[in-house]
Amino acid sequence: MSTGTGTTTDTDAGRGTGTGPDAWTKAATAPGKGGQIGEGRIGLRSNLRHISALVRRNALQIKQDPESMFDALLMPVVFTLLFVYVFGGAISGDGNQADYVNYVVPGLMAMMGMNIAMAVGTGVNDDFKKGVMDRFRSMPIARSSVLIAKIIVEIGRMTVSMFILLGMGFLLGMEVKTSVLELAAAMALSLLFGASLMWIFILLGLSLKTPQAVQGMAMLVLLPLQFGSSIFAPPTTMPDWLKTFTDYNPLSNLADAARALVNGGELASSVWWTLGWAAVITLVTAPLAVAKFRNKT
């Protein structure tokens, strides 16, 4: 499993690019109208400039370590083939995988977001172990800008992953029964929810001691949510206690919303539930993650 964007040194990231450590350090510390160096409060304009510099830094790390993209590139292919051809015929009941493709691919959009989000926590934890955060500690930048920059880059990786997932779905016979705009809305909803989940994994990355511990704890969160949901199969045959869990599972709400946007059907309830879950998760975990980050730096 990839550890996100915190896998190479700043010196390596900037070699031969013109936007290495010196460049992004200057961008992060240069005075501006939004906030001067040494001020206790950093203005919005300076904060946005710092985030932009840190996004470039994280993107350069991916360029220097292309293996960190393997999870985003390969997971959609592996999971689509696995679930369509192993479970598709059995779940559809007539051996016809075509109908199952339209069921499972929108559900997998929710799963991709959660798996990519996990990489943020391991990346943050790895940055602390390698001493990268010591450099950030010496800079007059908002602590939240470091975390927001990581989330922006991971949203980019998540977007790539979803395009590959949809490409695989179309190759296997998926049809968009609504419109391109509603398909784009399903992607946007999945990205929004995935971004909210990143704050949970950032908090885990800041709270646990090693990347391995973060991965292990993340899997304990991932597996019940993924398989106790409507992502892979309708919950109608589940026992009552599990069906109740599935009905309130945020991944079920997201999968149902994406499925309705792609295939048509009742939409409002699942979309509002998904937006509500995303808002609650962000409002609860983002302040905790930023506070934990400030305490550690």
Side-chain angles (χ1 to χ4, degrees), residues 144-229:
S144 60
S145 64
V146 178
L147 304 181
I148 292 172
K150 281 189 170 292
I151 288 176
I152 290 172
V153 172
E154 292 302 319
I155 288 174
R157 292 195 333 121
M158 197 183 300
T159 303
V160 171
S161 185
M162 287 192 185
F163 274 117
I164 295 173
L165 173 66
L166 291 175
M168 286 298 301
F170 291 134
L171 285 175
L172 297 178
M174 188 182 84
E175 298 179 2
V176 178
K177 299 178 181 179
T178 51
S179 68
V180 174
L181 287 178
E182 286 173 292
L183 175 62
M187 288 187 63
L189 191 64
S190 300
L191 291 172
L192 176 66
F193 187 77
S196 71
L197 293 177
M198 290 181 196
W199 290 109
I200 296 177
F201 293 111
I202 286 174
L203 187 58
L204 286 176
L206 294 169
S207 302
L208 301 177
K209 292 184 178 181
T210 65
Q212 291 78 11
V214 175
Q215 274 193 344
M217 183 61 69
M219 292 305 296
L220 291 176
V221 175
L222 284 172
L223 289 177
L225 288 176
Q226 288 177 348
F227 289 96
S229 73

Side-chain angles (χ1 to χ4, degrees), residues 12-148:
D12 289 338
R15 187 175 295 139
T17 64
T19 55
D22 291 338
W24 64 258
T25 300
K26 290 177 182 178
T29 58
K33 292 182 180 180
Q36 303 293 327
I37 294 177
E39 288 183 349
R41 185 176 181 181
I42 297 175
L44 177 61
R45 185 177 299 180
S46 292
N47 203 358
L48 291 175
R49 186 171 63 252
H50 301 163
I51 292 171
S52 175
L54 292 166
V55 167
R56 289 197 300 271
R57 174 250 179 194
N58 291 343
L60 285 171
Q61 288 185 318
I62 293 177
K63 182 179 179 181
Q64 293 294 322
D65 181 23
E67 289 87 354
S68 65
M69 283 294 294
F70 280 1
D71 59 340
L73 298 176
L74 298 180
M75 275 197 304
V77 177
V78 172
F79 282 123
T80 305
L81 293 175
L82 179 67
F83 285 104
V84 169
Y85 288 110
V86 174
F87 300 116
I91 292 175
S92 64
D94 56 3
N96 181 14
Q97 285 93 356
D99 292 337
Y100 186 65
V101 172
N102 263 70
Y103 181 90
V104 77
V105 170
L108 287 175
M109 293 171 69
M111 183 176 172
M112 289 300 106
M114 196 167 194
N115 281 289
I116 296 296
M118 184 175 67
V120 187
T122 54
V124 168
N125 187 283
D126 197 49
D127 277 349
F128 272 101
K129 290 184 70 67
K130 291 184 176 180
V132 175
M133 295 302 174
D134 291 335
R135 182 162 194 152
F136 295 147
R137 186 183 295 117
S138 65
M139 296 180 184
I141 61 176
R143 296 295 182 258
S144 60
S145 64
V146 178
L147 304 181
I148 292 172

Side-chain angles (χ1 to χ4, degrees), residues 224-273:
L225 288 176
Q226 288 177 348
F227 289 96
S229 73
S230 63
I231 290 178
F232 308 113
T236 52
T237 60
M238 295 180 181
D240 290 341
W241 63 269
L242 183 56
K243 189 176 183 300
T244 300
F245 174 81
T246 301
D247 290 340
Y248 290 98
N249 186 339
L251 288 187
S252 291
N253 294 313
L254 175 56
D256 293 343
R259 207 170 281 126
L261 285 165
V262 173
N263 299 324
E266 198 278 326
L267 182 63
S269 176
S270 54
V271 169
W272 284 114
W273 271 105

